[in-house]
Amino acid sequence: MTLKKNGRLSRREMLQALSLCAAGSTTLAPFLAGCRSSLDTPESLEKLGARRDPLDGKPKFLVVISAAGGASIVDSFLAVRASESSNAATLNTFPDASVQAVSGSPFRAVKYQGNSLGSIPVAVNADQLAFVNKHKNEMLVATSVGTSVNHVIAQKRSLTGNAAWRGRTLQEAVALQWGQGFPIPNVNMGISGYAERGTDDSLPASCFGEVVGSPSLWPLGLDGAKGVQGAPPRNVIELARATRNQLDAESVFGQTFQDADAMKRWNEQRKVGQPRLEALDLITNLNVLPNMPPQIPLTQYGLASSPDGARLRAAYPAYFTDPVQGQAALAFLLLKYRVSVAVTLGPDFNVTLGGANGLANPPLAFDFSHNDHRGAQAFMWSRILSTVDTLIDLLKAEPFDTVTGETLWDRTMIYVATDFGRTRTRQSNATVFGSGHDLNNGFLLISPMVKGNTILGGIDPNTVLTYGFDARTGAAAPGKMTSNEPDIYSGVLTAMGADLSGSGLPDASAFKKA
């Protein structure tokens, strides 16, 4: 007797099993268990819902960093030295001295110096080695081939695996899995395709991203009365709200549309959601702004800075003028105060002034590579890695469970999602050149939950194109150039230990820490 691949008996085998049972057989249970165990392949375990971690009731957190514009993996951890390539002069290879080896690691780190960023007269000095040395044991790079070089489409597919699981985004999947009981499970501060919701309409509305435009000012809108000078006492406000709710329900409009989904959602937010946010005092706990009259007179309006405000302002000193620093500061607070389990942040395509050289963000972010590939990639990778490094330090210093000794970082995944890669060609021996969009690339995951110090796939130095891998075993597959967006999607969730029962996702066990 055998089991089908879906874990079920055939009709004939079921009749045979029933006949054994009718005959009083005592061997039926172990017999069936043995049959089932013999089919415990990774594929069958997925179908049976066994490809997951034991759920311990504790949340896990996903931070998506949107590397907007096309972060090139061959300008970072998979860089190729000129001496390694037979076509070095016309491909995006680096002088040997610019590609630094990382001790005890397959990763590489690029060091770049330039006097300008395209036509922008700012110096670019970037060195990735310190970051890689510090975090290599919790870093995993997976090579990839996408299916679009359109910014918006490719950005969204980096989050859905090209609709790998009913069209839901990674953030929505995490919000569904671990966001129960969280007031705003999914906060999205990304742009364009990174800010779009998925297409699985069966998900609860709470799973979809709450869009935040201004991370520094958004917390001030999380209370309906606090901060309003001359506002009535809280008990009077609650009485007015209760009266309003009763009158609304009895109105012609309220009775006509009481069964409409939009009206139900609106009433739930007013009657349950808003009071809950106010009870958590998020207008204070998430507020990084200092009391700084006359510009920011918090106390004048009965407000206060977060208990964590001072250390976040020290960690991200440009939090108010640099959107990425402000987003990272808010991301930390959203996780610490158990507001969200999924947070998305990253640069936009607008110029941001500031930073050590007067420029914090170039126009088009990573896509400024059209003008100056090497300079833009070095500048933007430095921007992303610096933000991530500080965020990891904050999460490591924040206790999660005093009994187990876990920190917030122990239960967090950082996924650097990018649109696509960049073209690899250049004019012979050019040091300043532009690049276009390319499907071939790779993604960076950082977490204690991933198989660290690992590259899944590889790179051909003679083409500077990455090649694929087996998502289950991790075996490299030289020459494999087919799209693997579902593998990346599944890899993030598999490493986090999500329940993927019924998802149909590929087995991505190679991503997960043993």
Side-chain angles (χ1 to χ4, degrees), residues 35-119:
C35 290
R36 191 172 296 277
S37 298
S38 70
L39 289 178
D40 282 348
T41 64
E43 293 80 4
S44 64
L45 287 174
E46 188 277 326
K47 291 177 181 177
L48 293 170
R51 185 157 57 84
R52 65 180 181 184
D53 281 350
L55 299 180
D56 57 10
K58 300 178 183 178
K60 291 183 179 179
F61 307 95
L62 174 66
V63 178
V64 174
I65 309 292
S66 57
S72 169
I73 207 70
V74 304
D75 287 85
S76 53
F77 317 112
L78 296 186
V80 175
R81 301 183 182 95
S83 63
E84 298 170 326
S85 176
S86 60
N87 302 304
T90 57
L91 294 177
N92 182 22
T93 63
F94 288 82
D96 286 15
S98 297
V99 180
Q100 303 167 100
V102 180
S103 179
S105 176
F107 299 127
R108 294 179 172 188
V110 171
K111 184 175 183 178
Y112 176 87
Q113 290 183 315
N115 295 324
S116 65
L117 181 56
S119 59

Side-chain angles (χ1 to χ4, degrees), residues 220-245:
L220 299 179
L222 297 179
D223 193 292
K226 193 171 184 179
V228 178
Q229 286 186 324
R234 180 69 69 172
N235 64 323
V236 175
I237 292 174
E238 293 306 323
L239 180 61
R241 286 175 173 174
T243 303
R244 173 204 64 192
N245 293 340

Side-chain angles (χ1 to χ4, degrees), residues 302-335:
L303 300 175
S305 182
S306 170
D308 303 277
R311 66 167 168 154
L312 286 172
R313 293 191 293 270
Y316 292 115
Y319 72 96
F320 195 65
T321 57
D322 183 345
V324 175
Q325 289 198 24
Q327 291 168 1
L330 180 59
F332 170 76
L333 293 174
L334 289 168
L335 269 56

